[in-house]
Amino acid sequence: MFPYPSGALHMGHLRVYTITDVLARFKQMQGYNVVYPMGWDAFGLPAENAAIERGVDPAQWTVQNVARMKGQLKAMNGGMDWSREFMTCDPEFYKHTQRIFLLLHKAGLAYQAESLVNYDPIDRTVLANEQVDSNGYSWRSGAKVEKINLKQWFLKITAFKDSLLNDLDLLRADGRWPERVLAMQKHWLGKSEGAKIRFPISSEPQQSRPEQSLEVFTTRPDTLFGVQYLAVSASHPLVKARVPHDLDLSAFIDSLPSLSPDSKVGFQLSGVAAKNPLSSLPNAQGSVLEPLPIFVAPYVLDGYGSGAVMGVPGHDARDNAFWRQNRPSNSIIYVVQSADHAELNDDAETISVAFTVPGTLTSRCGKYAGLTSQEASEMVISDLQKFGNYASQAETWRLRDWLISRQRYWGTPIPIIHCQSCGAVPVPREQLPVKLPNIEGSWMKHKTGNPLESAKEWVNVSCPSCGGPAKRDTDTMDTFACSSWYMFRFADPHSKQEPFSQEKVNSTMPVDIYVGGIEHAILHLLYARFISKFIASSGLWPDGMKPEVQGEPFRRLISQGMVHGKTYTDPQNGRFLKPDEVDLSDPSHPRIAITGETPNVSFEKMSKSKYNGVDPSSFIAKYGADVTRVHILFQAPVSEVLEWEEERIVGIQRWFQRIWRLVDRVSSMSPIAMTPSYTPDTSTLTKEEVDLNFTLQNSIASLNQALTHTHALNTCISDLMQLTNALTSIPSGQVSVDTQYYVLDNLLRLLAPFAPAFSAECWEVLHASNERQINDIFLRRYPEPLDEDQLRSKTQQCAVMENGKLRFAVEITSPEEGANGKQLERWVLDQVQTTEQGRKWLDDRKDKQWKRVVVVKGGKTVNFVG
């Protein structure tokens, strides 16, 4: 995922781009044509805030940050293809974002509608939910946030809801996407199957009656006998009609922004009640005949169903908590029970939790008693359809259309012109891009509201359709609009007329490996999947419609874990301690500098407020890029949290030093077989050489498996360390120089994607005297594993027996396949004599005359008969 140019790389950036760099270099060395681009998600609020607060031109601020971060990426030895670089704030990029918007608009997938938003009356702008504090105030101006309806632009992502859900199975195949991400997307899409049920309502004569019934959606029709109230959203028509006439209700509505979305506070509407539709059935009796109170509740969402839900305290945990807070003296009705338990009663004092799982219906449910939840649901719906058409099978989705309007300057302008005669008119294609108006650095300083509204020369234009006076749309697009399609642009970054060519996008899409944090599991990935499916269905990406692709933009997804920093807090008050407040002269026993006390030590998400951030540039300057890269990869599996500990980096330094000494030693021996294609003749190898080669081949197989399938990059480093140990611990004189060269040559190529500069330097030194060698290590193929027969151990255990009694066992080199008779006997005797234990045993019996030597099991047993 490409970064937002905030000004400096943090450790999270360094981790994700180290992972991608390793995988890209590995594929390059395997001979693939690798597209490994880099770009900048350059629109966004931080740049605009800098303009407002400090009078800085957001474009200039962004370009400066890009230059700084690009330098940092190069310093980490990143191998990105900078010829494909672009910034989303460049008109040459965002004119294509506007083009895609117009294609969506033409297809009926971009539309305007009123939407309830958080509005800051001082800054005169819309706020995201995250920008409203827990008390309902704006994070920046401090103003009390208002809920107002504004006309906004939406993209109809719901038109693709079925494919977005169904194609998760395609992404699940072979573990291509993490199960956690798939589960989060499925939950966000939120398909629920159930029923729509209509509750008749009655009002007092003096109350307005905007509707005669309330429709709710439920996944549990079997609990209809347990409904004790209905709840509606604050913007439901039933509520809106009463607000002007009810001061208490109006005050409650005003208080909602300060309440959490899951608050259990409610307001009962006066003069109105609902009837349980079961009361319309023949022989209805009991609680279903009682009127149901109607509450306004913060937890009811406008877009879920019809903005109304039925409250079943006995069988829903949220409803249970809401009822206990608003009707603490009322009993709770239970109508479903477990099949293997006694029937529940309605004593609210003895039962404090909801029974939320399906079961069988209780005797309170009349003719439905004893039916399973599934059987009862089907029968209830059928009966309600017969007697008054109060129910119907239905499904609902949590997914809502994508609101892309932002009342901001620093974003892609929406290419629509509003004319009183013609309405919303698309900007003609030949007039794209609609560029942002140029501004002076101080123009936005301390301004409030939407800056584009005051750019009169830019706003006022002629209608493209009738030529009359018109105005540009002053909203800009959500920054996710740019990042939802940028991967296609990397395929053809210099195309002028089209976003990309079909030929080039067919050759590069979908993305083979996409790496990013779990925080992008929903919005970015969901929006990218939506736009990608639209692009495929519109014919712009012909191969995207193939059954094995289904318009999915990312074939494999890797979600890396966060980087946590070591955090010190004062045990007396929990205050976060600054670095200069902690005495680390003995890192294993930190002390608070002033008091001498031992601080609390933990690992937490890096942030400025916790003083636990780490500057990647300082580490690269101190330890070198490759040491830092390998340390990051070795400390934790890719998908897990990395707890950054500087003191452990010394282990990587020492390992590199050992490799360097190996290179220096082997290169000074002038091996005679230094050619690019040299491989040892395994039939002539000693036992020690066979063991070393076997360790090498195991490492090659392990690294290829990890880099291709499991992406367990930390185990790659571990394997390389073990191979280094095997190479440095060989007995003196028992492994030829050629074999040492061969293993070291492979070790450096295995290491190259992880530590590119260090490996390249070692490679040049190792082959400095060889004119036939390829100078660039990255032009050599990555070592490939041998097949199973070749990888099988070339040694075997041999049991040495004397007159049928076992004396000892030694490991010998396996004989050639098919060896037998005297040939096999001589081979085994020679091999046993080469071992220290065998040589000593035979020397002790050198005067003994053996009647015969019997070799069986292909040399796995030898019996000396005296």
Side-chain angles (χ1 to χ4, degrees):
M1 298 181 186
F2 66 172
Y4 176 77
S6 57
L9 291 181
H10 53 66
M11 273 298 173
H13 286 128
L14 189 59
R15 188 182 195 192
V16 68
Y17 296 126
T18 297
I19 293 167
T20 56
D21 197 68
V22 167
L23 297 177
R25 290 179 184 275
F26 165 65
K27 288 298 182 182
Q28 287 167 345
M29 293 181 72
Q30 284 190 312
Y32 287 93
N33 178 24
V34 176
V35 177
Y36 179 36
M38 179 53 68
W40 308 95
D41 192 9
F43 279 132
L45 199 55
E48 183 151 343
N49 287 341
I52 294 171
E53 294 165 11
R54 301 193 295 274
V56 177
D57 180 351
Q60 181 183 352
W61 186 85
T62 300
V63 169
Q64 290 173 344
N65 289 349
V66 165
R68 189 179 305 114
M69 293 176 71
K70 184 175 179 179
Q72 289 179 301
L73 287 172
K74 289 183 175 180
M76 62 162 278
N77 292 336
M80 296 83 175
D81 179 2
W82 293 104
S83 70
R84 297 177 184 266
E85 179 188 18
F86 58 76
M87 294 184 290
T88 58
C89 64
D90 184 343
E92 286 303 306
F93 176 87
Y94 70 68
K95 77 175 182 181
H96 299 299
T97 305
Q98 293 171 338
R99 169 73 175 142
I100 291 171
F101 174 90
L102 292 178
L103 290 173
L104 287 159
H105 187 267
K106 184 177 180 181
L109 298 173
Y111 66 92
Q112 273 189 302
E114 283 200 346
S115 173
L116 195 65
V117 296
N118 301 313
Y119 185 76
D120 184 325
I122 293 180
D123 280 354
R124 292 187 293 133
T125 188
V126 172
L127 302 174
N129 288 334
E130 295 78 12
Q131 296 170 329
V132 182
D133 69 20
S134 58
N135 295 315
Y137 292 93
S138 169
W139 68 286
R140 188 170 68 193
S141 71
K144 185 71 174 178
V145 173
E146 300 173 356
K147 291 280 189 180
I148 65 171
N149 277 301
L150 280 182
K151 204 168 188 180
Q152 309 272 281
W153 281 100
F154 293 83
L155 298 184
K156 200 170 185 179
I157 188 174
T158 53
F160 288 80
K161 62 181 184 294
D162 288 305
S163 61
L164 288 170
L165 177 62
N166 296 336
D167 292 340
L168 292 177
D169 290 336
L170 179 68
L171 302 177
R172 180 175 287 106
D174 303 320
R176 287 163 49 177
W177 276 41
E179 193 60 42
R180 180 183 174 191
V181 174
L182 295 172
M184 293 171 72
Q185 291 231 342
K186 183 176 181 180
H187 175 72
W188 190 263
L189 292 167
K191 181 180 180 181
S192 299
E193 294 183 344
K196 289 182 179 179
I197 298 183
R198 186 164 54 87
F199 286 76
I201 61 173
S202 58
S203 303
E204 294 178 359
Q206 66 272 25
Q207 296 285 346
S208 58
R209 301 173 64 185
E211 56 184 63
Q212 299 301 310
S213 65
L214 282 177
E215 185 179 79
V216 306
F217 173 84
T218 180
T219 59
R220 295 289 305 274
D222 58 312
T223 65
L224 195 55
F225 281 93
V227 175
Q228 294 186 261
Y229 69 94
L230 297 184
V232 296
S233 69
S235 59
H236 193 280
L238 189 66
V239 178
K240 286 184 175 180
R242 283 163 171 73
V243 167
H245 313 290
D246 191 329
L247 295 179
D248 292 336
L249 174 59
S250 179
F252 177 77
I253 299 298
D254 290 341
S255 72
L256 290 180
S258 63
L259 301 177
S260 63
D262 61 348
S263 170
K264 302 304 182 289
V265 174
F267 183 93
Q268 183 178 348
L269 296 177
S270 61
V272 63
K275 286 176 58 180
N276 192 318
L278 290 173
S279 64
S280 66
L281 300 184
N283 304 316
Q285 58 184 341
S287 60
V288 299
L289 300 176
E290 298 175 4
L292 300 172
I294 301 174
F295 289 88
V296 182
Y299 70 80
V300 182
L301 304 176
D302 292 319
Y304 187 83
S306 58
V309 299
M310 64 186 206
V312 188
H315 302 287
D316 184 277
R318 182 194 58 195
D319 297 351
N320 187 288
F322 183 86
W323 189 246
R324 288 183 179 280
Q325 180 163 334
N326 292 276
R327 288 291 182 86
S329 61
N330 287 42
S331 63
I332 292 176
I333 298 174
Y334 294 89
V335 297
V336 179
Q337 63 186 0
S338 173
D340 55 359
H341 284 76
E343 185 167 313
L344 298 170
N345 60 51
D346 302 336
D347 187 349
E349 298 300 323
T350 60
I351 302 175
S352 59
V353 295
F355 181 77
T356 59
V357 297
T360 60
L361 270 64
T362 69
S363 59
R364 167 186 293 279
C365 303
K367 70 174 185 177
Y368 306 97
L371 296 179
T372 65
S373 289
Q374 179 65 33
E375 293 168 341
S377 293
E378 294 173 0
M379 191 170 177
V380 163
I381 294 172
S382 176
D383 287 348
L384 289 176
Q385 287 175 332
K386 291 178 185 176
F387 299 97
N389 196 26
Y390 287 106
S392 60
Q393 297 281 358
E395 69 178 32
T396 190
W397 295 70
R398 184 173 185 266
L399 180 68
R400 297 293 169 261
D401 283 341
W402 176 11
L403 192 162
I404 65 163
S405 287
R406 296 294 182 269
Q407 290 70 42
R408 298 288 183 182
Y409 167 79
W410 195 235
T412 299
I414 291 177
I416 294 290
I417 292 173
H418 297 277
C419 173
Q420 285 190 342
S421 301
C422 306
V425 181
V427 172
R429 182 177 177 181
E430 62 273 13
Q431 293 182 20
L432 299 180
V434 177
K435 294 183 180 181
L436 290 167
N438 293 323
I439 61 172
E440 297 292 334
S442 59
W443 182 79
M444 288 179 63
K445 191 171 184 179
H446 304 314
K447 273 192 169 60
T448 61
N450 184 347
L452 292 178
E453 291 178 349
S454 58
K456 301 302 182 184
E457 292 184 3
W458 181 85
V459 170
N460 295 308
V461 293
S462 298
C463 174
S465 180
C466 68
K471 293 182 180 294
R472 294 192 187 280
D473 197 303
T474 56
D475 283 356
T476 54
M477 296 186 208
D478 179 6
T479 55
F480 282 120
C482 296
S483 61
S484 67
W485 76 277
Y486 76 95
M487 67 292 298
F488 289 91
R489 185 63 177 173
F490 278 133
D492 193 9
H494 307 299
S495 174
K496 296 292 186 182
Q497 300 303 317
E498 300 292 339
F500 43 80
S501 75
Q502 292 183 356
E503 179 183 0
K504 289 185 177 180
V505 81
N506 276 341
S507 68
T508 58
M509 291 293 291
V511 176
D512 289 292
I513 302 175
Y514 198 49
V515 186
I518 195 69
E519 65 272 18
H520 301 295
I522 298 176
L523 296 182
H524 164 58
L525 290 175
L526 196 64
Y527 295 151
R529 292 181 63 215
F530 159 50
I531 294 299
S532 177
K533 288 177 180 294
F534 167 72
I535 287 173
S537 66
S538 65
L540 295 175
W541 177 25
D543 285 1
M545 294 304 294
K546 291 182 176 180
E548 66 271 21
V549 179
Q550 297 293 350
E552 291 292 341
F554 310 118
R555 182 174 281 115
R556 182 175 291 275
L557 174 70
I558 300 174
S559 290
Q560 90 283 357
M562 301 181 72
V563 181
H564 285 188
K566 188 173 284 189
T567 310
Y568 299 96
T569 56
D570 190 326
Q572 300 298 323
N573 52 30
R575 182 177 64 85
F576 292 107
L577 299 172
K578 299 177 181 179
D580 58 7
E581 294 180 291
V582 182
D583 179 3
L584 294 175
S585 53
D586 181 358
S588 61
H589 295 90
R591 293 281 185 269
I592 299 176
I594 296 177
T595 65
E597 287 187 86
T598 301
N600 293 328
V601 182
S602 61
F603 286 91
E604 300 185 29
K605 180 181 177 180
M606 291 184 178
S607 72
K608 292 179 180 179
S609 63
K610 296 176 181 177
Y611 310 110
N612 63 351
V614 174
D615 177 17
S617 297
S618 65
F619 269 81
I620 290 173
K622 184 176 181 180
Y623 297 105
D626 284 0
V627 170
T628 304
R629 285 165 57 116
V630 173
H631 177 62
I632 284 175
L633 296 174
F634 185 50
Q635 288 305 299
V638 164
S639 61
E640 295 183 11
V641 169
L642 188 159
E643 295 181 345
W644 181 263
E645 293 188 80
E646 179 179 357
E647 53 268 25
R648 293 188 178 182
I649 204 170
V650 67
I652 305 299
Q653 286 182 305
R654 290 170 179 165
W655 175 42
F656 276 25
Q657 289 166 1
R658 292 171 64 204
I659 294 175
W660 181 256
R661 288 194 294 269
L662 274 172
V663 170
D664 184 58
R665 176 170 61 80
V666 174
S667 64
S668 66
M669 293 179 181
S670 301
I672 60 174
M674 283 186 175
T675 62
S677 58
Y678 170 75
T679 55
D681 181 357
T682 56
S683 65
T684 64
L685 298 181
T686 66
K687 175 184 177 302
E688 288 75 15
E689 290 172 337
V690 168
D691 289 346
L692 184 59
N693 186 56
F694 188 64
T695 301
L696 169 63
Q697 297 305 326
N698 275 330
S699 298
I700 292 173
S702 178
L703 265 76
N704 274 271
Q705 173 71 11
L707 290 167
T708 303
H709 301 293
T710 66
H711 304 116
L713 304 187
N714 60 317
T715 66
C716 293
I717 306 302
S718 178
D719 288 338
L720 290 171
M721 288 178 172
Q722 292 178 21
L723 180 58
T724 305
N725 291 340
L727 194 55
T728 55
S729 61
I730 54 178
S732 177
Q734 295 190 21
V735 175
S736 69
V737 176
D738 287 350
T739 299
Q740 292 182 55
Y741 155 76
Y742 170 72
V743 175
L744 184 55
D745 173 282
N746 277 271
L747 170 62
L748 294 179
R749 283 187 285 145
L750 290 170
L751 178 62
F754 302 89
F758 176 71
S759 300
E761 179 69 16
C762 290
W763 177 268
E764 289 190 15
V765 172
L766 182 64
H767 301 294
S769 61
N770 187 357
E771 295 180 356
R772 297 174 60 190
Q773 185 55 279
I774 298 174
N775 290 330
D776 187 348
I777 191 172
F778 291 102
L779 296 180
R780 289 295 311 275
R781 284 194 70 85
Y782 202 76
E784 296 176 351
L786 301 176
D787 60 42
E788 189 174 344
D789 291 336
Q790 292 175 297
L791 190 56
R792 190 174 291 118
S793 176
K794 302 299 183 182
T795 63
Q796 64 185 40
Q797 286 287 315
C798 178
V800 179
M801 307 180 74
E802 183 178 10
N803 297 322
K805 295 182 179 180
L806 179 66
R807 298 306 182 192
F808 61 92
V810 292
E811 189 171 356
I812 65 172
T813 302
S814 301
E816 291 184 6
E817 190 172 346
N820 54 41
K822 289 294 183 182
Q823 178 190 8
L824 178 59
E825 180 181 319
R826 283 194 299 271
W827 174 267
V828 173
L829 284 174
D830 289 344
Q831 289 297 314
V832 170
Q833 284 182 312
T834 62
T835 68
E836 184 177 349
Q837 193 173 7
R839 185 169 53 252
K840 184 177 185 303
W841 188 80
L842 289 171
D843 285 347
D844 291 343
R845 292 160 177 75
K846 62 184 177 182
D847 297 329
K848 191 164 185 175
Q849 297 296 317
W850 303 107
K851 292 180 181 179
R852 64 183 185 275
V853 178
V854 181
V855 177
V856 296
K857 298 180 181 179
K860 292 182 179 179
T861 300
V862 58
N863 185 18
F864 291 85
V865 181

